[in-house]
Amino acid sequence: MTPFRFSSTPIDTETGRRALLDGAAGGYVSFEGWVRDHNEGLAVRRLEYEAFVDLAVKEGERIVAEAIGRFALRGALCVHRIGDLAIGDLAVWVGVSAVHRGEAFDACRYIIDEVKHRLPIWKKEHYANGDSGWVNCERCAAAAHHDHGSHTHDSHAHD
Amino acid sequence: MTAAAAPLRGLVLAGGASSRMQRDKAALDYGGRSQLDRVVALARRHVTGVFVSVRADQAQDPVRAGHSLIIDTFTDGGPIAGIRSAFTRDPAAAWLVLACDLPLLSDAAIEHLIRSRDPAGFATAYRSTYDGLPEPLCAIWEPRSADALAEWVARGHKCPRKFLGAHPVTLLDPIDAHALDNVNTPEEYARARAALDQGTTREAMRIQIRYYALMREQAGRSDETVETEAGTPAALYRELGARHPFTLTPEQLKVAVNGDFSDWSRALRPDDVVVFIPPVAGG
């Protein structure tokens, strides 16, 4: 499996977990991001994910490689959904294996945080009231803060 | 730049007598366009509100009349009269002042000037590659220089270069040795045309833009190909913003060129593919 990929169909987490099985690993940690039914006080009906795939894959692979180097992992993978998703759908999956559990927890957290901040992926929320909006681009645009010239918006979904 | 920085407008000086050239420098033709039109278009890619400074007797001149004019309100003449007239028009603004006889001026040179601007000083200018003195006619003049200019003239001075030399200004080393070469003689005009023909400065080139998410909706398309003279992604974004109702500022965006993250001041090349990246929300 490639370290980072997009999927336009439901993510099979069991295949990912199996790919990380390793006799030298003492632990495995995974993270599942789910589509939540509300955000910033609005009821959410469904989501659309759109990505600049070429650059997102390149940057996603860099993030996984950084995590492997920084936390001395045995393995790490990330899969992100693209397209239309319903409430409860799995939007993103991260799995890591390491010799000890501490590195596995830290690395899993590192990967999902970096993915959220660095990858050119956008989320359009469709609300129960009929409105829709690109998260961090519209309602938050005026108040957006930018540290070090990069986008470090906090996304509010499935944290 | 602090939040208190004065808004920046453009002033292209086209009131000169062109005595050594023996013909109107503003009207000199480069690739089918007048020198004045070229500099105005360049300034528009970087600031909102670009005016052409002229003497009263030039206001009806066909080379100048199509532009937004600021007519000299000071009779002492010269570039200082033009700059002071601009401050009279809008005392709260800072002015990006450009001579109209700089055919090799580039987007990168303007951007560097704007990025290095010190809004609290009198001016931000390039250091001449010939004599090390400030170049007053490719510079940002801040509002606080207006009163100082009036005093300077009242004391009998006329030279804007000496003014900058005598006041605290931010001086930058040129990023391109020839960007500020001016054209005063028929020989210099011939050299500048030859340099432009060799493509050492920007001519129109084809650039592809791909749009995603909010940018795609605001542009009303997923991609487009444009012929542009914009030399950098920053200049290109400003140019496209005149055609599409973009709501995000460059500070809110990142930019990618040919599939990887890029600096806003990178020099664009023909057939580059540019993506403006709105605030992301993966995960």
Side-chain angles (χ1 to χ4, degrees):
Chain A
M1 275 178 96
T2 52
F4 179 92
R5 68 184 180 88
F6 282 103
S7 174
S8 52
T9 57
I11 298 169
D12 176 7
T13 59
E14 186 48 34
T15 303
R17 195 191 79 94
R18 223 177 293 124
L20 290 167
L21 289 174
D22 179 342
Y28 160 83
V29 171
S30 69
F31 172 81
E32 295 188 3
W34 298 348
V35 177
R36 193 172 59 204
D37 69 358
H38 64 280
N39 190 18
E40 300 203 329
L42 289 174
V44 176
R45 280 271 162 79
R46 63 185 182 87
L47 287 187
E48 270 172 65
Y49 277 106
E50 180 170 338
F52 174 8
V53 171
D54 290 355
L55 179 53
V57 167
K58 214 183 273 184
E59 188 75 353
E61 290 184 346
R62 284 178 198 140
I63 290 168
V64 172
E66 285 162 19
I68 290 173
R70 185 179 295 207
F71 300 98
L73 302 178
R74 296 296 304 176
L77 295 171
C78 180
V79 186
H80 203 294
R81 275 297 306 273
I82 204 165
D84 293 325
L85 276 76
I87 303 306
D89 279 355
L90 176 53
V92 58
W93 175 85
V94 180
V96 307
S97 60
V99 177
H100 301 292
R101 68 185 183 287
E103 287 78 11
F105 276 112
D106 292 347
C108 191
R109 175 69 188 253
Y110 176 82
I111 292 172
I112 186 61
D113 286 354
E114 295 299 306
V115 161
K116 287 169 84 85
H117 290 148
R118 284 163 54 184
L119 297 201
I121 300 173
W122 301 277
K123 174 163 50 189
K124 189 174 198 177
E125 292 178 332
H126 294 264
Y127 305 107
N129 66 10
D131 285 350
S132 62
W134 293 99
V135 173
N136 291 339
C137 287
E138 287 169 311
R139 287 173 304 138
C140 302
H145 286 284
H146 302 272
D147 298 333
H148 314 299
S150 65
H151 296 297
T152 54
H153 311 275
D154 287 327
S155 176
H156 304 283
H158 41 70
D159 277 323
Chain B
M1 200 187 298
T2 66
L8 186 59
R9 308 204 186 292
L11 183 72
V12 178
L13 299 175
S18 309
S19 44
R20 280 190 286 165
M21 182 63 76
Q22 298 184 315
R23 51 190 279 209
D24 182 6
K25 287 200 282 190
L28 290 181
D29 178 284
Y30 293 91
R33 270 209 303 174
S34 76
Q35 170 60 24
L36 179 61
D37 288 355
R38 287 172 56 98
V39 178
V40 169
L42 174 67
R44 280 217 184 100
R45 293 199 290 271
H46 300 274
V47 300
T48 304
V50 174
F51 298 84
V52 173
S53 163
V54 297
R55 301 188 313 263
D57 61 320
Q58 295 171 316
Q60 304 304 321
D61 170 63
V63 174
R64 293 161 173 81
H67 295 284
S68 303
L69 301 180
I70 294 183
I71 297 169
D72 279 3
T73 49
F74 298 89
T75 51
D76 43 318
I80 284 189
I83 297 167
R84 292 181 67 204
S85 302
F87 279 123
T88 304
R89 168 76 70 103
D90 187 350
W95 292 90
L96 169 67
V97 174
L98 300 174
C100 85
D101 61 354
L102 304 173
L104 305 183
L105 198 56
S106 63
D107 282 302
I110 303 287
E111 244 154 60
H112 182 55
L113 190 64
I114 293 174
R115 276 164 180 266
S116 310
R117 174 184 171 195
D118 173 16
F122 282 86
T124 304
Y126 282 108
R127 194 178 275 121
S128 163
T129 46
Y130 298 102
D131 55 17
L133 293 171
E135 288 284 4
L137 306 188
C138 175
I140 295 171
W141 292 71
E142 299 293 340
R144 66 179 292 198
S145 61
D147 288 346
L149 276 169
E151 239 174 76
W152 184 256
V153 172
R155 291 195 338 241
H157 297 299
K158 279 191 172 165
C159 176
R161 185 187 299 268
K162 287 181 185 154
F163 173 89
L164 293 183
H167 290 79
V169 300
T170 300
L171 276 185
L172 312 174
D173 287 318
I175 52 174
D176 166 357
H178 294 293
L180 300 181
D181 285 0
N182 64 0
V183 167
N184 287 310
T185 65
E187 295 71 36
E188 286 168 351
Y189 176 42
R191 266 207 300 279
R193 285 175 60 136
L196 287 168
D197 286 344
Q198 286 165 14
T200 51
T201 59
R202 298 280 142 210
E203 287 299 296
M205 61 186 167
R206 197 176 54 189
I207 298 288
Q208 271 186 62
I209 303 105
R210 301 216 176 109
Y211 296 109
Y212 293 93
L214 184 65
M215 300 295 301
R216 174 173 50 72
E217 292 179 355
Q218 292 181 341
R221 68 202 73 199
S222 300
D223 55 78
E224 67 180 319
T225 301
V226 298
E227 290 286 333
T228 179
E229 286 176 32
T232 63
L236 178 65
Y237 186 69
R238 179 170 276 275
E239 188 177 287
L240 293 168
R243 300 216 304 270
H244 302 307
F246 296 151
T247 54
L248 296 169
T249 64
E251 294 72 34
Q252 294 172 307
L253 300 168
K254 288 188 184 182
V255 65
V257 177
N258 301 334
D260 218 333
F261 292 112
S262 165
D263 202 80
W264 283 93
S265 55
R266 163 196 183 124
L268 290 176
R269 304 192 156 277
D271 297 312
D272 275 353
V273 180
V274 177
V275 178
F276 299 106
I277 299 175
V280 302

